[in-house]
Amino acid sequence: MDDLVWKSLAELARLVASKQVSPVEVVTAHLERIDALDPKLRAFITVMRESALEAARAAEARVLSGEPLPPLHGVPIALKDLYNTKDAPTTAGSKILAGSKPAEDATVVSRLRAAGGIILGKLNMHEFAYGPEGLNAHYGTAWNPWDARSHRIAGGSSSGSGVAVAAGLCPGALGSDTGGSIRIPASLCGISGLKPTYGRVSRAGVLPLAWSLDHVGPMARSAADCALLLQPMAGHDAKDPTTATVPVADYAGALSGEINGVRVGLLRPFFLEAAGLVLRQAIEQAVRDLVKLGARVDEASLSHAEHAHAASFAVIASEALAYHEVWLKRRPGDYQADVRERLKGGAFVSGAQYLRGQRARRLIRDEVDRTLERFDVLIAPTTPIVATSVGQAEVTIEHETVDVRSALTRFTRHFNLSGHPVCSVPCGFTTAGLPIGMQIVGRAFDEATVLRVADAYQRATDWHTRRPPVGAPPAAAPAPPAPAAPAVPAVPATPATPTTPTNAG
């Protein structure tokens, strides 16, 4: 049964359809692992045990009936707790919405259920999605499973989604991304996460942080599984007027494993240059891996990148305050302290500053579009640091002390402003065993190419197949010391775990 929790979404769907395993067995295996590990990991706010088992029994009956099966039939998934579900509370990780029961499912939840997905439960998150660390004072802060001994952040705001997928509590999950909240936990938890193009996926029934920057998307252990989840989610929805009518590609069909001739732009200024040494080495090795697969790599730059922080703050702070203004006046004490203070900061953003932020956003989007006329995808680190300890406010990157919160969003918020699709995939580990993420940026509504490059990279490497130590069997007694090995080059010639121990990467 334990082996089932490490199967891919695609493999689970195949096993169910071929009657080699029952949907009840699959759901039960994941519920048992949640029972065993989640008291420590705190990935879930609500486990929907009874409804998940009921759905699994119905899925089993449909398999036995011989009816045609949808693509995700009998496969368990979990939802960040800002997706409305008619059969469970939607809290947004808050005290304010504790026990709140929506009248209907969010559009994407309905679509995933129609595709055969079984909802295991609602996942932990930074309260109201307003923080990149993944902290939660009400339900407990999720525990990054890559460090079994010390409590490290999982990244936010989709912290529970990152932890649950990485630790084998569910094979796939949904997150949301306003400044990096899918990609940051994907990077820090060693999984794959896709922020689709703005307008590709409906946000109807998804609680907002900032309506003009919010994206929703899938998180899984591989890009191939992200493609499988995205397929039923994507497409126009009359309930969300921001969704586009652009045709939806066959995402799984695009995963050919072939990227010969694909033009890759390596974002060095502002992005790679600002990452910790080990992260830079990992990205440079990943680029060499792509070259071996036939990609053509050249350097690229985005001159407006330095303006993304101010523009993102002006837009998010204003729009978040507009949504929370009444609650903030009536129930300020019910917010966790960091979120309350960030919301208050929105009151100091003037209308002129908000408009300047939106104008900067247009400049940023146009520049990314122009750059992608020369390239098929762009490559950059997802974050400049790896997972820090919970409560740690600052981190050192190459002898410079920086704020953890600002560092986490430094490379991600640019593409929320531009709206382009981005997939974060694991591309290495530090000597402390902490994951490193790489983001792959594509043209608007060209998720297919982004996923094709990510999938080809994952076929050639094994970073995404590693399992974290939380929940692993006890290690065997240590072997006698081996003779000292020769020094490893600063940039390895073949895929290898980077060797410089630094908290910044």
Side-chain angles (χ1 to χ4, degrees), residues 150-435:
S150 61
H151 195 178
R152 292 183 181 269
I153 61 172
S157 61
S158 309
S159 51
S161 303
V163 171
V165 171
L169 307 187
C170 65
L174 298 192
S176 67
D177 194 314
T178 308
S181 292
I182 287 173
R183 291 161 288 154
I184 293 167
S187 179
L188 270 53
C189 292
I191 66 169
S192 303
L194 176 71
K195 179 193 80 66
T197 309
Y198 185 84
R200 170 55 84 197
V201 179
S202 173
R203 299 169 302 166
V206 184
L207 299 179
L209 173 57
W211 68 271
S212 73
L213 295 178
D214 291 342
H215 302 62
V216 300
M219 302 170 70
R221 288 189 287 271
S222 70
D225 276 354
C226 285
L228 190 62
L229 284 172
L230 179 63
Q231 195 71 56
M233 295 168 61
H236 179 70
D237 175 24
K239 294 181 179 179
D240 179 358
T242 68
T243 51
T245 56
V246 178
V248 176
D250 176 4
Y251 299 121
L255 307 184
S256 63
E258 181 65 53
I259 58 168
N260 191 49
V262 169
R263 299 169 300 167
V264 175
L266 174 61
L267 291 170
R268 188 175 295 275
F270 187 86
F271 293 92
L272 191 63
E273 289 176 352
L277 173 62
V278 177
L279 281 83
R280 294 202 305 273
Q281 292 177 349
I283 296 296
E284 287 168 345
Q285 178 57 52
V287 168
R288 285 195 289 271
D289 292 334
L290 292 173
V291 169
K292 290 177 184 176
L293 294 171
R296 292 187 286 132
V297 179
D298 199 354
E299 296 200 356
S301 63
L302 296 171
S303 61
H304 294 309
E306 62 186 21
H307 303 303
H309 172 72
S312 179
F313 171 77
V315 175
I316 293 176
S318 299
E319 294 182 3
L321 178 62
Y323 180 75
H324 287 272
E325 189 170 14
V326 173
W327 285 334
L328 195 60
K329 288 177 179 177
R330 295 178 180 174
R331 304 178 62 177
D334 287 339
Y335 288 91
Q336 65 185 50
D338 71 305
V339 172
R340 181 175 60 249
E341 294 310 306
R342 297 187 89 189
L343 287 169
K344 286 181 178 179
F348 297 96
V349 178
S350 68
Q353 288 170 323
Y354 176 78
L355 289 175
R356 281 198 293 270
Q358 291 287 11
R359 291 191 188 111
R361 177 184 184 181
R362 179 60 184 263
L363 292 173
I364 287 168
R365 183 173 72 241
D366 289 349
E367 183 179 41
V368 177
D369 282 338
R370 286 195 304 272
T371 304
L372 285 166
E373 291 174 1
R374 295 175 48 223
F375 299 102
D376 298 302
V377 296
L378 304 175
I379 297 289
T382 306
T383 59
I385 61 174
V386 293
T388 56
S389 298
V390 171
Q392 183 176 338
E394 295 180 331
V395 66
T396 300
I397 306 176
E398 299 300 292
H399 311 296
E400 179 185 0
T401 300
V402 296
D403 171 71
V404 167
R405 178 170 287 168
S406 297
L408 288 171
T409 58
R410 178 179 173 88
F411 302 153
T412 54
R413 58 194 168 207
H414 195 91
F415 304 108
N416 290 91
L417 289 163
S418 76
H420 290 79
V422 192
C423 187
S424 178
V425 296
C427 66
F429 286 82
T430 68
T431 52
L434 299 176

